[in-house]
Amino acid sequence: MSSRGTSYAALKATATLESWEGLATQARQTKAGEQVLKSWEDRVEGLIPHTDAKVRYFGKDRSKPRVKIYRDQAAWCPYCQKVWLLLEEKQVDYEVEKVPMRSYGDKPREFMALVPRGLLPAMEIDGKVMTESLDIMFTIEGAFPDPDKPMFPASGPLRDRAAKLLSLERQLFGAWCSYLFRPEMPLIGGSERDFTSALQAVDSELAKNTESPFFLPYQHPTIVDMQYVSHVERAVASAMYYKGYDVRKKFAHIDEWLSAYEKLPHYMATKSDYYTHCMDIPPQYGPCFSNDNAEAVRAREDIDPQSAKLPAQWQTSVEPPTPEQLERSEEDYRIEAAMRLTENQQAVTRFCCCAAGGDVGSWARGNPTKCELADPYARPNDDYAAGVNVVLRSIATALLKGDPSPVLSIKASVEKEAKMSGRDLEVIADCICYLRDRVGSPRDLSMPAAKILRAHLAEAVRQRKGYIINGSPPQQEPANRARRPKWRLCFRLDRQTVSAKESLEHLAPKYQHDFFLTVVDPPATGSFRESPPAPFFASRVACHVADLVASRPMIAQLAGRSFEGKALASIGAECMAAGLCAAMLGAKIAFVCERSLEPHVQHNVRLFRRDTLDYTKTKTNVLAVAPCSPGRCGHLEAEVLSEKLQAPSLDMVVLTEVSFARVVGDFGGLVGNRRGEVCRVSGAGDFPRAFSRGEPL
């Protein structure tokens, strides 16, 4: 049942949810639920591969394995994946000790005492410890030889070919890194052409083997295949997400090779989905440079969970499921996702509440080599647990029933059962976002189940917040009964403009993380249940100007490379969001606006002061509103505005050509572009004449 056109009272009446115990019983009694429980039991006993398995057995012997592997916690490390695949292919019993990668958490002292450099993977075999994935793989092959199933040719031309292929893999890895982690500069490398050339060479080598889909003429993958597959898997995902480049569509033999791998259950137990890879790659390798071509934009919209909607789209051409995944029904995946909630609801609730708790984001703050999504130091705020738990129960109900109605009536359910409303709803929505963006595959769920769960979480957030903006101008979202349309703005600093070293040396830690603002428009005329009105303070131009103000190039040009203590004038409706953005970064703001808009600007200022979280720890409440008649703000002198801000002078003015002409007067020729421009004020005097023209952004 859709919430569109449905009265709030009707929604509230339908907000009756079953208990967690009842939901868990329903899930366990289904055939899919029985299979999930069986897989969990087998995982504990070491009978199937999984990221959570602590031991793996292939025969009847249950004695302590000779091999102990130290690998990353979430199955994100490509080098750990190579070793894992070899152990599975050779069916060598092994123990697992999970250790965080440097990007995701602190390594235990015990591990650092064993491996002083902290490298992963590490292997302990017969009491000896070693690192380096390729060395580990050859050691395993030597310790557990199988003449009928060689993992690397012993001698002759085939061994020479295998060595040549290992060298080619390094060339492909280098081309991928240049393509993804550098701006495209064909004269010095990093171009799509170099990446394509390397892929063509790999595709040609695969074509030479007519006896199997793998690199060497064996019916099983070898060390050569394992050396390739972990990084090719990541290259496929990242090239699609950041560049709109479809590796599998362009190279038939690579696609055939990957398809052969995807038929192996132990490979699928290690394989991440595109979203997981595109979030875990930057902390390990560095910031990625994206394209804005149509294919790349479409890919990001398809992959990012913020864009997910119900019904969940898990069968897409961007990231197609395997034939084996298509053999299972969507109901199986919904139940798989539901059981991750019903069997772990208390732990999941507390995890969500980390978004509202202490030290959230402190792990990665100021260090781009650490993953923002890891957040190992975050502490939950249990004040919001009741509301979060109701949301999760609504989602679990929708997953089990295959009916989105419980998600579409979430607001009513929270108000009825948790007795929470108003500002609490926004915080609870942040908590659900926290979970939505951290659902990983294969760590948490299979790819289809992960996509289905993310879509339900995204819809829950959408129902809570009304209209949500994630780094782009607002789009129409489901109806909101509030008379004032609200827009959620997410500011994501541009990591592509400077290197990691430069960002650490020149930018303060607070300028390296996302932050959020709520912008409230003037009251809409009449009801807008069916669709929201066009954004006003959060228009496309306003979002663009705000993004420019929050960009690293802008911050890097400021004195002291910081907004803190700066006095800034924001002129017109198109620049109000930019002013709030600068206030979050520490600037004192004077909002210059038409008199008719004064109460609405004041409303946003009050909201910012009272309800907006201090994401950057530099948020300022030194805000002033300076109304004027249309086209007549010329009488406002720089001293007047700076006095309102208790500052000796204005440091900057933010305006667009439209706001300049409408608010300041007929001086449109002074600002020569429509995208927005930031100008410095040179001193006191008549306001429109007091600043020197800045450089267009």
Side-chain angles (χ1 to χ4, degrees), residues 100 102 107 111-120 122 131-132 135:
R102 286 192 175 92
K107 296 181 185 293
F111 176 74
M112 294 302 294
L114 190 68
V115 184
R117 295 174 62 194
L119 297 177
L120 292 175
T131 58
E132 302 296 341
D135 293 342

Side-chain angles (χ1 to χ4, degrees), residues 396-439:
T397 302
L399 288 166
L400 287 175
K401 293 183 176 180
D403 179 2
S405 297
V407 175
L408 300 179
S409 58
I410 270 180
K411 182 179 179 183
S413 298
V414 173
E415 291 178 342
K416 178 180 179 180
E417 297 200 21
K419 311 300 181 186
M420 303 175 83
S421 61
R423 170 62 183 157
D424 290 342
L425 294 179
E426 288 198 16
V427 177
I428 291 170
D430 286 336
C431 294
I432 301 303
C433 286
Y434 193 84
L435 175 61
R436 176 200 65 195
D437 296 344
R438 288 165 173 79
V439 174

Side-chain angles (χ1 to χ4, degrees), residues 20-34:
W20 281 113
E21 292 76 12
L23 294 173
T25 300
Q26 289 180 35
R28 293 169 189 160
Q29 291 176 347
T30 64
K31 184 177 180 180
E34 292 174 355

Side-chain angles (χ1 to χ4, degrees), residues 16 49 154 213 257 315 658 685:
T16 302
W257 170 68
Q315 302 181 40
V658 173

